Structures are given as C-alpha cells and as structure tokens.
Amino acid sequence: MDEGDGTIKYILTGDGAGTMFTIDDTTGDIHAIQRLDREERAQYTLRAQALDRSSNRPMEPESEFIIKIQDINDNEPKFLDGPYTASVPEMSPVGTSIIQVSATDADDPTYGNSARVLYSIVQGQPYFSVDSKTGIIRTALTNMDREAKEYYEVIIQAKDMGGQLGGLAGTTTVNITLSDVKDNPPRFPQKHYQMTVLESSPVNSTVGRVLAMDLDEGVNAEMKYTIIDGDGPEMFDVSTDPTYQVGVITVKKPLDFESKKSYILKIEGSNPHIEVRFSNLGPFRDTTTLHISVEDVDEPPVFESSHYFVEVSENVDIGTTIQIVSARDPDATNNSVRYSIDRNSDPGRYFYVDITTGALMTARPLDREDVAWHNLTILAMEMNNAAQVGSVPVTIKILDVNDNAPVFTKFLETFMCENAKAGQLIQTVSAIDHDDPPQGQHIYYSLAPEAANNPNFTLRDNQDNTAWILARKSGFKQAEQSIFYIPILIADNGQPILSSTGTLTIQVCSCNEEGDIMSCSAEPYTLPISLSRGALIAILACIFVLLVLVLLILSMRRQRKQPYTIDEEDNVHENIVRYDDEGGGEEDTEAFDIATLWSSREAHVGKSRQDMQPEIESLSRYVPQTCVMDNNVHSYMLAKLFEADTDVCAPPFDSLQTYMFEGDGSVAQSLSSLQSFSTDSEQSYDYLNDWGPRFKKLAEMYGAKDSNASL
C-alpha cells in the first residue's frame, strides 16, 4: 500500500527501540544506533506498524520480528579460578596428575571456533606438561627431588579458535610444591663426640646432645636414638627431643670418678617411618661414638650405712659406747674425717661422739619414761675442707627396765554411808606404772602389813590391774570415827619387783534410806598424839630465840667488815689451761695434780646446775689427728663431766685441765713420771744424746756430760 508518496508513517516499539535501534518513518528501514555485543544480549524482539500519516490510523496490524546478534571472536579465554596452587610428592612417576585448570571463553560455542579453547604450557618445561584439551597438568620428569628444588611456577596458556592464528589467548599461573617423602637416610655429621660430666651430676641431668642430620621434613625427619653398644649403657640414657629431633644424653645412675673415669657409648639414630619403595636408598640409620669423661669433684664424706638403728637399755652407764659410725672421704685424696653431733637433733645433749673414731656414747643418764626415742644426726667433716660435711640419721630406741614403782594416779578419797553392809563395795582403786614390760603390765594389790588385820575393811585383787575395797563389818558410826586411812601396797610384775604404798581415805557420812549422802563432818585439824600442845609451843620458842641470835651475829659481823681486796694469785675465775707442747719434764704437772681426777665424789643425779651448760665437744677439740683416746678414759671423763654439771655444791667457776699424752707411737714413749717407779739415781738417761736436737735440752739436764765437751 506504500506508494512512496509519504502518506504512510512507520513506527517501531519493543526491546531496544529508540535506544539500540531506530526506524526511518518514511522508508521503514531499521538501523542500529549503538555497538551490539552478543555476550551482553544475544537477540531483541521488536514490533513495527504502518500508520496513516495524516490520521495516524493503522494501515495494518502490528508485526513482530526478532533480531539475533551474530557472534564474532571478540573475547579471549579467561581462567576464572586462577592463579592455582597444587602439590605433588617428590620422586613421583612421569605422568602423575597434579591439577586440572579450566579457561572460559565468552564467545558462542555453537558458532564457529570462537569458543574452542586449547591449552599449552608456556613456562614449566621440562618438569611438567598439560593436556591441551582437558587442562590436566602432569609431571614430565622422573626423580624430581624436593631437597634439590621444592617450588615451581608454571604458566599455562588457553587459546581460542582451536589454537589457530588470529585466535585470542589468556594465561594463568600454577604454583606447584613438591611434598616430602622418606627418601633420605639420617647421617651424623661427626663420627666421634667428646663430652664431660661432673661426678656430682644428679640423675636425669643432661650430659650433652647429638644430632643425626636428615634432609627430609615433618614425620619423615623424625628420629629415634638408642645406645647399641659401649661400656656405659647402665650409667647413661639417651632420649629424643621431639621439637628439634636431637638425641639428649642424660645420667641414668650416680657417677663416681674414683670408680670409673670415662665411658664409651655407641649411639644409633634411625627413622621410625620408612617407605618400602625407597628402601633401596637406605639403610635409614647411622651410628656415632660418644666418649664421656667424668670430672672429679670434692665430695662430702660418705657413711658406711645410710641409717643406723640402735637399741640401748635405759640403765646403761654414762660413757658406754652404743654404736660406732664410720665414714670415709670418697675422693682419691681420702682426707681425714672428724665426727660430731648436730646439736639441733640432740638438744638435751644425751650423747657424745668421739671426734676421731666415731664411737657414739652416752653423756647423760637415759630415761625411757622421759624420752623413749632419740633421732640423732651424725655429721662427718673433712679436715681439709670444712664445707664438705656428710650426715647420717641415727635412731636410738631406749629399752625399758623396771625402774618405776606403780603408784596411784591421784589422791584417793571416797565416802561411805554409816549403814554400809558387810561385803559392800566401797571403792575401786587402780594404779599406773610408767614402765612397759615386754610380757605386759600387771599390778598386784594388797593391804599394807600394818593394815593386814584391819577389822573394818578388806581388799580384793581383781587380777585386772584393779582392786576392790570392801567393808568387812556393818554398823559404822560417824560419831565414833568419821575418817579411815587404808594403806594399800601396790607391786608390779617386773624384775626386780618394785612396790609403793598408797593411802585411801574413807570418810563416813550419814545417809538417808535411799543411800544418798546427807552430811559428812569435816576432818578437824589435830596434833599428832605423840606431840602435845606444850611441846609445840616450846619448839616454836626455841626457833624464835635462834633466829634472834643469828640476826645479832650478822649485825656484829657487818660492823667489823673490812674492804675486801682480791689478791691476784687468789683470784677465782674460769681458768682453762691448755697444754699442746712437749714441755720440759716434771714441771708440766706442777699446775695440776692428775690424781685428783680419780677422787670419788657422789654425783647428784637428777639435779641440774643453772650456771653451766655441758661442753662435751671441748674434750676432743684439741685432740691431734694421730691421737685416739681409750674408751675407758672417755667414759670416765663423761661421767665426771655429768657429775660436775649436776653438783649443786660445786663452786660457780670451773677449772678445766686438758691433758694430752703422746701415745704408743712415740719413739720416746712416755716422759711422764706419774707411773714411774724408778728414781733419777736408778735410771740412766744417756740414750737422750742419740735422739737428736729436739731432745738436746733433756740430754743436758739428765744425761751424762760429753767428755769431749768438758775438754
């Protein structure tokens, strides 16, 4: 109907009308007014209609048509997931698949070759290859060693148009890491190690470390160290440090330089995790030799026993040796050892130990009922090094002897009614005995001999350490006698049998019919029958007269008292005389007469002096190393010391005389005349001239004069 005269007008509606497409309203030609991109929109649906230009009346129905965008190769392939990271075990066979890469091309895959992609490797040859169609990356070389090179950067290219010229291309990076496998055996960098350790090193202390190098990592580098040979497996141990995989050498048992000065250990390092396919690269173990030298240290003295247990009777004499402890210097020098007691363990100073022999003796009387156990600490000190002190515990059990008579626990007093019947129980009595006999405690009761025929009361021993006091008659009257004293003999079953007498006081009271006490008269104070009131007054008068005389005498003496001056020679004070030189003969004994030591004096046992504390250690403080005193002398001196400590009548100042004797080892023997029965006229001292210059003075005093000297 369009004759070309312009009477018909064309209009366009639908997708993109007016924006992407336009229409010539006269001719009806449709034009694209923008660049079209198939990847954004592949087709458009439009509607066109012819109208009468003058009336805008449609000339025909609206027509619909579709415009499809034809694809061209305008998009390169893209790796949307790149870059890639992958790993493959080292030493993997050729062709081992590692990872698959994928590139996407936005062009139409159904039209031409615009979206046909092929893969190729740009960087990474000759180690890896890629499948051109699938993009799978594989290993291309054998024996790829992680220890030689661990990381690889591979560049993969994807090209469309089937890889033809003119095609577009895109690339991505694949980072490939070789993972470790167990393909390297351990190796010690040194075949010989030298280490030193102090002999005082405690058990489990570290001596040193050894390391077997392994180029692998992780679990493949784990090591296990063992001692497979040598002369010290029983003295040392080796363990693996899990953090650094090193072998730690530790002390297994206490070391002793004097017993063994060096050890040799053969140590093996091995991998616990082994892959069978690499067993041909083994063996996966290595060995090294370790020389350990033990260094000497100055050690404290060591006692022969780690603990001493002693049983001693409580009636043992003072100075009795109850145990001999022995210690030695474990060092090669073997220094002399001196013994002492840790006074914190023996605050009562019941014991004394000989400084040179280690003889443990009693220094005070022992009483099991006072202290049944003593826990001492004996110290042993090196003479050349006071800092080196060893110790040993000594447990002393005091054995019981029957030295305590049974006694009543308290003052016994009871009450009874006047209407008590014959045979009625008046009181149950019991006693205690501080002793502990091995066969058990058994106490016997009986009336004292003076009360054996008591007409009022009787005693029944129950054979269970108790006794009953029974009324022997009926009809007690308070008015006739209100108090009865019953002496009871108490005896034990020890050896020897010990006994004591206790008194039971029975007071007679008036009671009601139910047996309840109504009243008891108080015991009046009466004088003894044998002492009248007049005699008592006479005694008091005499005492008063004597007191007046004493006061009068003291008053007169005070008036005549002269100023007191102390003569220097008569000054009484603590006088300690120490002799440690050989002396000049008889003059050495003029200061003190040793015979007085043997004078008997009763020791006041049980009484303690407040002005002096015993110094037992002073007896042997200055004893020479070569001097060993007889135990009898020790016992005697300890007994005398205790006697002096407990003597309340002794003067307040002590004079301690310490005497040393040369002993049996001297060539001159004893120079003392205490036990000599010869006189100067009966004995010749010419032999003193042959004893050298040390005895020259004695030779001149007692020996015959040299004839040549007289000339």
Side-chain angles (χ1 to χ4, degrees), residues 235-285:
M235 304 301 297
F236 299 94
D237 200 1
V238 61
S239 60
T240 303
D241 184 345
T243 303
Y244 302 102
Q245 300 299 321
V246 298
V248 182
I249 312 299
T250 56
V251 178
K252 189 176 181 180
K253 291 184 179 180
L255 303 173
D256 186 9
F257 172 82
E258 289 70 29
S259 298
K260 191 171 178 61
K261 298 178 177 59
S262 64
Y263 296 88
I264 297 178
L265 302 177
K266 188 174 184 180
I267 299 177
E268 178 186 80
S270 60
N271 295 125
H273 305 288
I274 300 176
E275 294 189 30
V276 179
R277 62 193 179 104
F278 299 116
S279 58
N280 60 316
L281 302 177
F284 288 88
R285 58 173 52 89

Side-chain angles (χ1 to χ4, degrees), residues 523-534:
E523 180 182 2
Y525 176 76
T526 60
L527 294 173
I529 299 176
S530 60
L531 186 63
S532 64
R533 189 178 301 273

